[in-house]
Amino acid sequence: MVLLRKLPGMPGWPTALGLRLPQKFLFLLFLSGLLTLCFGALFLLPDSSRFKRLFLPRRATASTSSSSAASSSAAASSSSTRDTDLPRSPPAAAEPRHASPAAPRRLREKLRAAARPAPRARQQVQGDGRAEPATGAAPARDTRAPFRFDYERFRRSLRHPVRGRRTGEDPETRARRMKIKEMMKFAWDNYKLYALGKNELRPLTKNGHIGNMFGGLRGATVVDALDTLYIMELEEEFQEAKKWVEKSFDLNVNGEASLFEVNIRYVGGLLATYYLTGEEVFKSKALELGEKLLPAFNTPTGIPRGVINLGSGMSWSWGWASAGSSILAEFGTLHLEFLHLSELSGNPVFAEKVMNIRKVLNRVEKPQGLYPNFLSPVTGNWVQHHVSIGGLGDSFYEYLIKSWLMSDKKDSEAKKMYDDALEAIEKHLVKKSAGGLTYIAEWRGGVLDHKMGHLACFSGGMIALGAEHAGEERKQHYMDLAAEITSTCHESYARSDTKLGPEAFRFDAGTEAMATRLSERYYILRPEVVESYMYMWRLTHDPKYRQWGWEVVKALEKHCRVEAGFSGIRDVYTTTPTHDNMQQSFFLAETLKYLYLLFCEDDVLSLDDWVFNTEAHPLPVNHTNFKASVQQ
């Protein structure tokens, strides 16, 4: 109700306009109706509207997402039956694991835009793209439950020593492994000297880089490198990294983070280092950070949004993602870490969140049995039918087979999802070139794009890992398929002048296993090819995989090693490449670790005891229940 008051000595302003009484009445009636309409319209604005939040209490705007998140969590809890596992000229920022040059997420420009600081307006997405902070949501259950994880019992359950027994190895293999260890020490020492506490090292300019992908968190290289330093027995360097985590790793930050990247790099790295060492600081940091990720799940379906503010709990979808959708490789790459967060904390909420993702995926119809890359977190339906085993999709499939292995082969749901997905991939996407190279194409609404990204080269190792546990009639078939795909990825390296592979390579217009676009010719120290070499070596012991890995070591030394670290290069098809001035954190976490393990005996981080998350952080197979009795 609007009250119009006269000022002393002045007529009311309707009178001052010379209006008669009926006109005054109509004017006031119109004005009252207009104000009522404007105020009421506030309630019709989307929850994400900043204008709405200026006038209404935050609790009111968050109620919808909070209640829906609560119902999603409840549904996940009731349905869970298991007890309990990223453009492109080389970017100047940390590179998302599933980033690749040419698709909506692969689109180099869009992905780099997502990884760079940008005006606030970029983060506004249409419609339902942004969620409110979880201020109105039910608080997460206390992760400090009255029980403890029995670490000593866990270590006794391992079937092999973490660092192996080092018996009977030949001198050449040991010398090559020691060379890779020296490369790791060189990369770490220069990071420590010029960029300690920053997220990555810029080795040409000898300074650090922070970026905005981690929401204000620092030390991505520290956390990513911890377990590699430990496995390589770089004891002094490991203690330096541990000290930084203890004294300087601050989780009280307020910034916009990729849920996916924080999970695989930080949470995964901290969890792995705890399991390797038993040091409580790594466990407590992992659990605290895990809790900060939970508000991203406050959506109508429980499918998390891709970006979260680690301080406020607000979450939203990437601005470049179709119709505010979530990305398959992002929400599908949480399972391993979140199960271990529940295992260590006694808090089932982490496991419930990822089991609910499974529930949504099993309910939605899959075109031709394939999983498209974009899913609406509001409706739970696919947004577009783009399928890729490279960027945008990759690690979702990896986590299916690894979830089964991590459960000590008890998670039959994950195994069935993996088997069904691989069958559809082989039927619709696996192709053979005129020159006899086997590759996995991308699928866009039924139309094939005959290219393969570097990121998709992990699939050789994944298929081999799954083949080990396939029925006898399918085991050799899948091992052959894994070997063919790994060989194709090796060809992408062998056909370049630097003997390093491009970001993507194509099979069209008479070209095979080579980049045909300038925007796809760079190499940013990616690990996926050597990852497959490591798995293929361990599962076949064919010496060619070690030889191929040693070729990569020599190419890295020749073309990527600079005065103060290692740098990506902008063109693999020239012997005098330009460097991109970025030592990615995953180079220490993945590339060097996989190369080192390639020249280790099989009992070092044995596949009987460990699965690697998509950042190569080892997480243990759940051989038994390691919860100790309730503490009084």
Side-chain angles (χ1 to χ4, degrees):
M1 182 66 182
V2 179
L3 181 63
L4 297 176
R5 301 181 62 183
K6 290 185 178 183
L7 295 176
M10 292 184 66
W13 59 276
T15 301
L17 295 175
L19 298 178
R20 298 178 182 178
L21 185 60
Q23 294 171 323
K24 294 177 185 178
F25 176 76
L26 291 174
F27 179 83
L28 291 174
L29 184 64
F30 169 78
L31 184 60
S32 298
L34 180 62
L35 291 173
T36 301
L37 177 64
C38 292
F39 183 75
L42 287 172
F43 294 93
L44 300 178
L45 289 173
D47 285 347
S48 60
S49 172
R50 292 186 179 183
F51 185 72
K52 181 175 181 177
R53 294 198 298 268
L54 291 174
F55 293 92
L56 298 180
R58 179 161 291 192
R59 185 176 302 276
T61 62
S63 60
T64 302
S65 62
S66 301
S67 61
S68 61
S71 63
S72 298
S73 177
S77 178
S78 63
S79 65
S80 177
T81 58
R82 290 179 57 237
D83 289 333
T84 0
D85 192 328
L86 301 178
R88 317 274 121 83
S89 6
E95 186 70 8
R97 156 70 191 240
H98 55 271
S100 150
R105 164 94 194 240
R106 291 347 170 108
L107 283 177
R108 335 167 57 81
E109 289 76 14
K110 290 189 176 181
L111 192 49
R112 287 175 61 189
R116 280 199 300 258
R120 188 76 184 174
R122 180 192 61 77
Q123 296 147 357
Q124 303 297 324
V125 298
Q126 297 179 352
D128 54 288
R130 183 183 287 267
E132 284 299 308
T135 52
R141 278 162 277 182
D142 187 5
T143 57
R144 292 146 188 78
F147 82 102
R148 67 181 178 86
F149 178 82
D150 192 338
Y151 183 80
E152 294 305 319
R153 184 182 175 199
F154 153 69
R155 287 302 294 256
R156 290 194 302 270
S157 77
L158 295 178
R159 296 167 183 173
H160 305 274
V162 171
R163 292 166 169 165
R165 294 182 174 86
R166 306 270 198 244
T167 59
E169 59 184 354
D170 69 274
E172 182 183 65
T173 299
R174 185 182 186 280
R176 290 181 173 185
R177 188 174 69 248
M178 290 302 100
K179 174 57 186 176
I180 298 162
K181 179 176 178 178
E182 182 276 330
M183 293 167 69
M184 178 68 184
K185 178 172 170 55
F186 179 74
W188 170 262
D189 285 349
N190 280 284
Y191 168 76
K192 181 187 68 172
L193 180 61
Y194 299 113
L196 183 62
K198 302 296 193 298
N199 285 323
E200 292 90 17
L201 165 68
R202 292 187 179 277
L204 300 185
T205 51
K206 299 181 181 178
N207 62 340
H209 175 262
I210 295 175
N212 70 341
M213 191 165 59
F214 304 119
L217 294 174
R218 300 291 188 265
T221 293
V222 178
V223 179
D224 252 353
L226 276 163
D227 53 11
T228 310
L229 294 170
Y230 181 84
I231 291 300
M232 292 186 180
E233 301 182 63
L234 289 165
E235 304 293 353
E236 180 181 342
E237 291 78 7
F238 176 79
Q239 291 301 323
E240 293 165 351
K242 176 189 169 186
K243 182 179 179 180
W244 186 89
V245 172
E246 290 175 324
K247 305 294 185 183
S248 304
F249 186 33
D250 184 12
L251 300 183
N252 296 314
V253 295
N254 186 42
E256 302 157 2
S258 163
L259 171 70
F260 166 81
E261 298 291 349
V262 169
N263 177 64
I264 66 170
R265 303 197 198 202
Y266 286 95
V267 176
L270 292 166
L271 287 171
T273 310
Y274 169 71
Y275 283 118
L276 291 171
T277 68
E279 299 279 358
E280 288 290 320
V281 62
F282 302 118
K283 182 176 77 171
S284 63
K285 292 286 188 181
L287 295 177
E288 183 180 352
L289 185 53
E291 287 182 340
K292 290 178 175 289
L293 301 181
L294 290 174
F297 293 82
N298 293 341
T299 66
T301 61
I303 297 293
R305 291 183 166 95
V307 189
I308 182 168
N309 185 300
L310 296 175
S312 70
M314 284 179 57
S315 67
W316 58 95
S317 299
W318 292 106
W320 49 264
S322 299
S325 58
S326 295
I327 311 303
L328 181 66
E330 296 194 336
F331 66 78
T333 309
L334 303 167
H335 204 94
L336 304 185
E337 297 84 359
F338 272 52
L339 289 192
H340 277 287
L341 289 173
S342 281
E343 179 77 13
L344 292 179
S345 68
N347 183 356
V349 68
F350 299 104
E352 290 167 2
K353 296 298 185 185
V354 292
M355 292 307 297
N356 179 64
I357 293 173
R358 288 250 193 104
K359 183 178 178 181
V360 174
L361 289 175
N362 282 328
R363 184 169 61 237
V364 66
E365 182 179 356
K366 269 73 72 179
Q368 308 294 326
L370 298 167
Y371 288 84
N373 293 333
F374 298 93
L375 185 79
S376 169
V378 175
T379 67
N381 295 321
W382 305 116
V383 174
Q384 33 171 266
H385 287 181
H386 171 218
V387 178
S388 171
I389 312 306
L392 300 173
D394 49 9
S395 47
F396 163 71
Y397 306 96
E398 173 189 357
Y399 271 39
L400 291 178
I401 189 62
K402 289 182 176 178
S403 294
W404 180 68
L405 293 170
M406 195 179 78
S407 72
D408 209 15
K409 305 173 188 176
K410 297 181 179 69
D411 186 358
S412 57
E413 181 182 50
K415 182 64 160 57
K416 184 179 187 308
M417 291 174 71
Y418 171 79
D419 288 341
D420 291 348
L422 184 57
E423 182 180 348
I425 289 166
E426 186 172 14
K427 180 178 180 180
H428 298 287
L429 304 183
V430 173
K431 301 296 175 183
K432 191 175 288 285
S433 72
L437 298 179
T438 301
Y439 63 98
I440 305 178
E442 296 189 5
W443 191 82
R444 301 176 186 274
V447 178
L448 288 181
D449 184 4
H450 295 273
K451 77 157 193 179
M452 193 169 174
H454 194 291
L455 287 160
C457 284
F458 85 97
S459 58
M462 177 190 73
I463 294 170
L465 195 59
E468 275 294 291
H469 310 282
E472 282 303 318
E473 70 284 357
R474 300 296 287 169
K475 179 177 179 178
Q476 190 58 51
H477 169 76
Y478 284 131
M479 285 302 300
D480 291 342
L481 178 60
E484 291 172 11
I485 291 171
T486 304
S487 179
T488 297
C489 291
H490 170 256
E491 284 298 313
S492 76
Y493 277 53
R495 299 183 184 195
S496 79
D497 295 345
T498 59
K499 306 306 176 187
L500 294 168
E503 182 67 11
F505 47 94
R506 297 181 177 268
F507 301 85
D508 52 26
T511 298
E512 296 192 1
M514 294 183 68
T516 59
R517 303 178 184 182
L518 290 175
S519 61
E520 297 172 347
R521 298 162 71 100
Y522 63 94
Y523 172 73
I524 55 169
L525 309 176
R526 285 205 188 274
E528 290 77 23
V529 172
V530 297
E531 175 183 353
S532 284
Y533 293 170
M534 190 277 291
Y535 281 113
M536 293 302 296
W537 162 255
R538 288 210 171 179
L539 297 172
T540 70
H541 288 158
D542 187 329
K544 72 181 180 184
Y545 296 112
R546 279 185 164 173
Q547 185 56 42
W548 290 354
W550 188 243
E551 291 171 5
V552 175
V553 171
K554 292 189 295 183
L556 288 169
E557 283 285 289
K558 183 175 182 180
H559 299 293
C560 297
R561 186 164 180 154
V562 294
E563 181 183 351
F566 289 87
S567 171
I569 58 177
R570 299 183 184 277
D571 188 351
V572 299
Y573 299 108
T574 174
T575 53
T576 56
T578 303
H579 295 95
D580 68 3
N581 194 28
M582 184 64 65
Q583 180 176 283
Q584 302 283 351
S585 77
F586 56 67
F587 179 66
L588 289 78
E590 301 183 74
T591 310
L592 292 177
K593 184 189 283 115
Y594 284 133
L595 284 168
Y596 183 82
L597 293 174
L598 177 61
F599 294 96
C600 286
E601 296 303 310
D602 293 355
D603 59 354
V604 181
L605 287 179
S606 169
L607 300 181
D608 293 335
D609 291 324
W610 304 90
V611 296
F612 294 93
N613 87 337
T614 200
E615 193 78 3
H617 296 306
L619 299 172
V621 173
N622 190 6
H623 291 311
T624 185
N625 189 333
F626 305 115
K627 298 182 181 68
S629 57
V630 174
Q631 292 179 327
Q632 302 299 322

